[in-house]
Amino acid sequence: MFEKQGEEIAVPVAGPFRPFEHLVSIKVLGKTVQVPDKNSVLRCFQYLSPETIPYGRFCWNQDCQYCRITVKLPDDDQPREMLSCKFMVMPGMEITEVSPELKLCLKHALNK
């Protein structure tokens, strides 16, 4: 169990997410969001938008390239292009660009 703004939340034991201990803060296109640690960035996007990401055209194994993002990592000076299905989320990372497919799927989640 962990706390989220004063309330306890159970760690999911089934479903698409790897077991996680807590939520971490990252920035996605300028908006700060909380996502589960120990998961790929694409799974974290699914956490933010469970009604759209599973239905996107993502292969989840790097073949399609639809999950491409540009990220500035907290310990790096240069933004780097990577695949969100292959990279694990890091606290403090800043995602500055996302593919058109991701932008469409995350549109409502990031406009809340």
Side-chain angles (χ1 to χ4, degrees):
M1 296 249 202
F2 62 95
E3 286 192 21
K4 179 181 176 188
Q5 298 175 351
E7 59 186 79
E8 284 190 10
I9 298 175
V11 176
V13 290
F17 306 103
R18 291 182 178 185
F20 59 94
E21 296 173 11
H22 58 277
L23 300 177
V24 296
S25 291
I26 65 170
K27 274 192 177 180
V28 181
L29 303 178
K31 182 174 181 172
T32 301
V33 294
Q34 299 285 314
V35 296
D37 67 345
K38 300 181 182 176
N39 278 271
S40 73
V41 175
L42 188 55
R43 285 287 178 216
C44 291
F45 289 157
Q46 183 175 0
Y47 179 84
L48 296 173
S49 188
E51 64 282 347
T52 60
I53 293 293
Y55 303 104
R57 297 182 297 168
F58 307 110
C59 66
W60 300 87
N61 64 7
Q62 82 188 11
D63 288 342
C64 72
Q65 304 284 306
Y66 288 131
C67 68
R68 189 167 294 283
I69 57 175
T70 302
V71 179
K72 179 155 182 336
L73 301 174
D75 58 351
D76 201 352
D77 293 341
Q78 297 295 319
R80 306 211 182 263
E81 221 178 72
M82 57 186 63
L83 297 176
S84 62
C85 66
K86 289 296 176 192
F87 195 79
M88 299 300 277
V89 71
M90 291 176 60
M93 68 189 311
E94 185 174 345
I95 299 167
T96 57
E97 293 179 40
V98 297
S99 69
E101 183 80 10
L102 279 170
K103 190 176 281 190
L104 179 66
C105 287
L106 291 171
K107 184 168 79 171
H108 294 295
L110 297 178
N111 288 327
K112 290 180 184 175

